[in-house]
């Protein structure tokens, strides 16, 4: 742990670049937002969460906490286990159905959610017709017995997908996305 004065991002980058040049395996580090001395515990939590994200991202030795928007829950050790449990309950039935029937419900759900329920964009990303996606989403609704019209349900399913140990997941079940 290292406390830097003011906005120490330039010093932190120089330190990690220097350490990366000398150490193998390459070190990972997290950088908190700038805080006063009265907020050191918060800065330490932010830095620890950013360091966990750095470790999960190949090739990223220094990750600023501010860059984790939308990823804090899937990289924080405290929530990773809970999200894995959620994915086992919510996503496993889809995986079982996909395996048994040769369907692609998990990818369809992900596309539907990541495209904010916009049928055309989600279907295009999957390379299928809108009606095909409608059928798949209807099957998902029935299998999971959920209301995809509820923002809370959609948010829960998206979080469950983020922890699903599919082809893009690391050993801890954290899904690596193409986001920086």
């Amino acid at each position: 742990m290292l406390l830097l004065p003011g906005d120490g991002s330039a010093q932190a980058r120089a330190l990690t670049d220097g350490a990366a040049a000398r150490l193998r395996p390459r070190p990972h580090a997290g950088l908190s937002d700038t805080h006063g001395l009265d907020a050191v515990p918060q800065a330490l939590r932010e830095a620890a969460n950013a360091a966990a994200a750095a470790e999960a991202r190949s090739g990223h030795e220094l990750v600023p906490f501010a860059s984790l928007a939308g990823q804090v829950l899937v990289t924080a050790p405290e929530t990773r286990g809970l999200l894995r449990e959620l994915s086992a309950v919510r996503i496993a039935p889809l995986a079982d159905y996909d395996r048994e029937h040769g369907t692609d419900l998990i990818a369809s759900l992900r596309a539907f959610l990541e495209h904010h329920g916009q049928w055309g964009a989600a279907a295009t990303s999957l390379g299928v017709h809108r009606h095909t996606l409608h059928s798949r989403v209807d099957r998902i609704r029935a299998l999971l017995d959920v209301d995809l019209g509820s923002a809370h349900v959609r948010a829960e399913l998206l979080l469950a997908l983020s922890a699903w140990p599919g082809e893009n997941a690391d050993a801890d079940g954290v899904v690596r996305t193409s986001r920086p």
Side-chain angles (χ1 to χ4, degrees):
M1 206 51 63
L2 177 65
L3 294 176
L4 299 171
D7 177 14
S9 59
Q11 293 120 323
R13 172 68 60 200
L15 287 169
T16 56
D17 287 348
R22 292 186 299 279
L23 299 175
R24 296 292 181 258
R26 294 167 70 139
H28 296 93
L31 181 65
S32 76
D33 287 336
T34 302
H35 294 283
L37 290 177
D38 59 328
V40 168
Q42 179 181 350
L44 291 174
R45 282 190 304 275
E46 289 177 4
N49 284 333
E55 188 174 1
R57 297 178 183 178
S58 298
H60 290 84
E61 291 81 32
L62 177 65
V63 172
F65 181 78
S67 73
L68 295 180
Q71 299 175 28
V72 173
L73 288 176
V74 296
T75 58
E78 311 83 59
T79 57
R80 205 176 300 151
L82 179 61
L83 290 175
R84 279 196 300 266
E85 289 176 27
L86 178 63
S87 72
V89 170
R90 289 296 191 193
I91 306 304
L94 301 180
D96 293 343
Y97 190 91
D98 282 348
R99 199 172 20 264
E100 292 171 17
H101 297 91
T103 55
D104 209 2
L105 298 182
I106 292 175
S108 299
L109 178 61
R110 185 182 306 276
F112 176 77
L113 295 172
E114 289 182 349
H115 287 91
H116 313 290
Q118 295 180 359
W119 297 103
T124 299
S125 75
L126 292 167
V128 300
H129 193 275
R130 280 184 307 116
H131 298 297
T132 301
L133 181 60
H134 268 282
S135 295
R136 290 178 184 177
V137 169
D138 286 343
R139 172 63 52 199
I140 292 164
R141 283 183 181 125
L143 286 169
L144 299 181
D145 192 25
V146 295
D147 174 13
L148 290 174
S150 165
H152 293 284
V153 169
R154 291 190 311 272
E156 181 179 277
L157 289 172
L158 190 58
L159 286 170
L161 282 168
S162 72
W164 181 248
E167 61 196 42
N168 296 325
D170 66 14
D172 291 324
V174 175
V175 176
R176 292 189 182 133
T177 65
S178 58
R179 294 179 209 126

